[in-house]
Amino acid sequence: MLRTSAHRFLVAAALAGTLAACSGEAASDGAEAAKPAGEAPPVIKERHDNFEEIGDAFKAVRGELEKDAPDFTLIAAKANDINARAMKIETHFPAGTSTADGFKTEALPAIWEKPEEFKAAATKLVDESAKLATLAAGGDKAAVGAQAMAMGGACKGCHDQFRLDDKK
């Protein structure tokens, strides 16, 4: 019976360690994460919500493009929404709001370490979403589809450099 209790304890301890690592409690480089000075600033939720809305709008665009007869008015509206939200990206990343500052966020320190590259990535999304809105007005499914792919590439390019991929 003693062996079973010890075994259960070890399993529970291992599980607790694994859960802590998966929840973002541990830093990705193995070092202990910095502890935030207080509650997360509201801008962290604002930027998260902004990106969620961008993602939802992009899903709607892709959904329309899967149809034989897409609603180009809807695509243009969603592209304009993405564009307006993309213009806010730079303001959603003040200093002191990264994982390095101890906050649970997908914003990598590279955003603050490479501000010009981050600004260029955000600007690319602004530009690509504006092009998508313009092309949607023309109603050419192939052109709109190609531009939607280009806009998706702008998202991916930024994610690859500046967003924590917690699904690896």
Side-chain angles (χ1 to χ4, degrees):
M1 197 66 159
L2 181 61
R3 183 173 177 215
T4 305
S5 295
H7 179 71
R8 285 183 185 158
F9 174 77
L10 289 174
V11 169
L15 181 59
T18 301
L19 290 173
C22 291
S23 70
E25 295 296 317
S28 60
D29 65 358
E32 186 175 325
K35 299 293 181 208
E39 287 189 37
V43 73
I44 292 177
K45 181 175 177 357
E46 290 168 15
R47 73 182 177 215
H48 177 267
D49 292 349
N50 193 56
F51 283 118
E52 287 290 319
E53 292 296 327
I54 288 172
D56 290 347
F58 190 49
K59 285 176 191 170
V61 167
R62 289 192 329 249
E64 283 301 311
L65 289 170
E66 290 174 4
K67 298 177 181 178
D68 290 334
D71 181 345
F72 290 104
T73 302
L74 177 65
I75 292 172
K78 295 298 182 179
N80 281 321
D81 182 49
I82 292 168
N83 185 263
R85 292 176 182 286
M87 288 185 203
K88 297 177 185 179
I89 291 173
E90 279 189 81
T91 65
H92 285 154
F93 293 90
T97 61
S98 79
T99 56
D101 299 303
F103 294 108
K104 185 174 178 167
T105 174
E106 294 176 348
L108 291 176
I111 291 169
W112 297 272
E113 295 164 358
K114 302 175 184 178
E116 292 306 313
E117 289 94 336
F118 181 66
K119 180 179 180 178
T123 299
K124 184 165 179 67
L125 180 57
V126 169
D127 295 344
E128 298 297 348
S129 58
K131 289 177 193 174
L132 180 60
T134 300
L135 284 171
D140 180 340
K141 184 177 177 180
V144 171
Q147 186 55 39
M149 294 274 294
M151 187 179 74
C155 293
K156 182 179 180 337
C158 193
H159 288 196
D160 289 349
Q161 289 185 306
F162 301 109
R163 181 180 179 208
L164 175 68
D165 183 1
D166 60 355
K167 293 176 180 52
K168 284 185 178 179

